[in-house]
Amino acid sequence: MSGDERRDGLLVVRCQLGEREAFPELVRAWHGPLWRYVRAMVGSPHLTEDLTQEAWVAVVRGLPRLRQPERFAPWLFTIARRAVTDHLRQAYRASETPMDEAGAVVDDSLGSLLTTMQVEAGLGGLPPPEREVLILFHLQDLPLAACAEVLGVPVGTVKSRLHRARRMLRGVLAERGYGHE
C-alpha cells in the first residue's frame, strides 16, 4: 500500500468515525483531481461544477459504507464516472452525434514533446471510452489495476483501450497541427 493510499484510508476512517475536520481534508486532497477528470470528460466548466458537486454528494452518502478505505481513489472516480456517464447518456439521447475515428498511426508512445495542455485539447476529439482511459491513466496517474476497477473491465481491456486511445489521440493531435512525425 502506498503512502497516498494510507493517507486516504486514514482520512476515510476518520470521516467514518465522525471527525468533523476529516472530510474537508479529504475534499482538499481530491477535489482538484476529481474536477480535472470531470472537466476532461465533459468539457464545460459549468457542467463540471455540477457533476463534481453531484459526485461529492454521492461520496458523503456512500462514505459510511466504504469497506476498503485505502481504495478511496478508485471508488471516488467510479462515482464520478457514473455521474458523467449518466449525463452523457442523457445528452446522447437528446442529440445523436456520430463520432469519427481518427486513423493516423505513428508509434505506440504519445511522445515527450507534447505538453499536457496539448493532450487535454486533443481529448475533446475522442469518444468517451477512449478519452476516459487516457484521463485516468495519464492525467490522474492511476495504475492499470485502479483504472480497470473504475471502468469495471479487466486490466487487459484497459491496455487495449489505452493502445486504441493513444492511436486515436495521435490522429486528433496531428489534425490540429500538434503532430511530431
Side-chain angles (χ1 to χ4, degrees):
M1 182 183 330
S2 75
D4 288 343
E5 288 173 331
R6 248 188 311 281
R7 178 205 67 202
D8 295 340
L10 181 58
L11 279 172
V12 168
V13 169
R14 287 172 51 205
C15 289
Q16 290 171 330
L17 293 173
E19 187 178 317
R20 295 176 70 104
E21 301 83 32
F23 191 72
E25 281 183 54
L26 195 61
V27 171
R28 271 192 300 279
W30 282 101
H31 186 75
L34 176 65
W35 191 91
R36 286 188 297 276
Y37 165 75
V38 173
R39 169 66 189 228
M41 289 301 296
V42 298
S44 157
H46 178 70
L47 184 56
T48 298
E49 291 299 330
D50 290 348
L51 293 174
T52 302
Q53 187 68 29
E54 187 179 316
W56 281 118
V57 168
V59 166
V60 168
R61 289 184 180 140
L63 207 53
R65 295 182 306 279
L66 180 59
R67 299 220 184 273
Q68 294 179 297
E70 71 282 356
R71 304 292 302 147
F72 178 76
W75 181 73
L76 173 65
F77 285 110
T78 300
I79 288 171
R81 180 178 195 259
R82 199 171 302 125
V84 167
T85 301
D86 289 348
H87 166 74
L88 291 175
R89 242 186 239 124
Q90 291 170 354
Y92 285 139
R93 277 189 211 124
S95 72
E96 291 186 14
T97 309
M99 296 280 187
D100 296 331
E101 181 168 335
V105 177
V106 185
D107 61 22
D108 197 40
S109 67
L110 284 176
S112 58
L113 298 178
L114 294 176
T115 67
T116 301
M117 237 167 60
Q118 290 168 327
V119 171
E120 287 176 350
L123 287 172
L126 299 181
E130 285 75 15
R131 182 180 339 144
E132 183 173 40
V133 74
L134 286 173
I135 291 165
L136 291 172
F137 186 75
H138 288 290
L139 300 180
Q140 296 302 329
D141 293 324
L142 289 182
L144 288 172
C147 291
E149 187 176 333
V150 170
L151 299 172
V153 298
V155 172
T157 302
V158 171
K159 289 179 183 178
S160 64
R161 282 187 190 172
L162 272 171
H163 178 76
R164 181 175 59 251
R166 288 175 182 141
R167 186 183 72 239
M168 293 173 76
L169 181 59
R170 275 192 299 277
V172 169
L173 292 173
E175 285 175 11
R176 295 181 182 188
Y178 296 128
H180 61 285
E181 299 179 43

